[in-house]
Amino acid sequence: MKSLAQYDVAFFHWVFNLTTNRNCRWIKWLSKTGDGQLYLILGLPLWWLEPEYGGLFLYSGLLAYMLEIPAYVLLKKGLKRERPCYHISELSAYIVPSDKFSLPSGHTAAAFLMASLIAHFYPTLSVVAYVWASCIGCSRVLLGVHYPSDIIAGVLLGLAISTISLLIL
C-alpha cells in the first residue's frame, strides 16, 4: 500500500503534467492575483466607500494577516518540506518560488483567508471568492511549486486564521 506522501507526489505529477507543452501565461497571472497586493487594493476602497462593513472587513483582514504570516513562516521553516521543483530533479517549475520550502502554501492560505472574510461580510460573493481561492491553490500545483497536500494545508491555515480573526473582532 502506498503512503500518503507517495499519493501526494503521484497526484502532483498527474496535475503538473497537464501543463506539458502548454502556454501557462494565464495560470501565472491567476497565481499572481494571490501575491497579496489585491487584498489591500480590495480592503482600502471598501473601508472608505462601504460604511456598513468596509471598516470591519479591513480590520479583520489586517488582524488575520498579522496572525497568518507568522504562523505560515513558522510552519514553513519548521517543516522544511522542499518544493517539488527543488526535490524532483527532472522537473522545472514555470515560476521562481520566493523561498525553498513548500508546506503550507502561503498563496493558498492567504487566498482562503480572504475568501472566508469576503464570504462572512459579503455572502453574495461567497461562491466567486471560494472559486477564485481554489483556482489559486490549483495554479500553484500546475506551476510546479507545491504538492497537493501543501494546498490542503494552506486551505486549513487560511480558514483557521480567518475564523480566529472574526472571533477576536
Side-chain angles (χ1 to χ4, degrees), residues 13-52:
H13 279 291
W14 181 79
V15 172
F16 183 73
N17 287 337
L18 296 173
T19 62
T20 303
N21 298 322
R22 305 224 181 205
N23 181 339
C24 293
R25 186 174 61 230
W26 71 271
I27 300 170
K28 291 178 190 177
W29 174 84
L30 178 63
S31 179
K32 200 143 189 66
T33 67
D35 285 355
Q37 301 87 338
L38 178 66
Y39 309 135
L40 199 55
I41 290 170
L42 179 64
L44 286 175
L46 283 173
W47 171 64
W48 189 51
L49 299 171
E50 201 277 292
E52 187 174 1

Side-chain angles (χ1 to χ4, degrees), residues 9-126:
V9 171
F11 190 54
F12 165 80
H13 279 291
W14 181 79
V15 172
F16 183 73
N17 287 337
L18 296 173
T19 62
T20 303
N21 298 322
R22 305 224 181 205
N23 181 339
C24 293
R25 186 174 61 230
W26 71 271
I27 300 170
K28 291 178 190 177
W29 174 84
L30 178 63
S31 179
K32 200 143 189 66
T33 67
D35 285 355
Q37 301 87 338
L38 178 66
Y39 309 135
L40 199 55
I41 290 170
L42 179 64
L44 286 175
L46 283 173
W47 171 64
W48 189 51
L49 299 171
E50 201 277 292
E52 187 174 1
Y53 296 117
L56 274 175
F57 177 81
L58 179 64
Y59 299 140
S60 297
L62 292 173
L63 173 62
Y65 286 108
M66 286 178 14
L67 297 171
E68 185 263 341
I69 292 171
Y72 151 79
V73 170
L74 285 172
L75 285 168
K76 222 171 226 222
K77 291 187 185 256
L79 296 170
K80 295 183 180 180
R81 182 182 195 189
E82 276 192 312
R83 292 180 183 272
C85 57
Y86 297 140
H87 187 253
I88 303 168
S89 59
E90 72 276 1
L91 185 124
S92 181
Y94 290 97
I95 59 173
V96 177
S98 59
D99 60 47
K100 185 177 178 179
F101 303 120
S102 70
L103 182 66
S105 167
H107 278 77
T108 306
F112 271 86
L113 187 159
M114 180 55 67
S116 180
L117 293 177
I118 290 169
H120 178 80
F121 290 105
Y122 307 101
T124 57
L125 298 174
S126 295

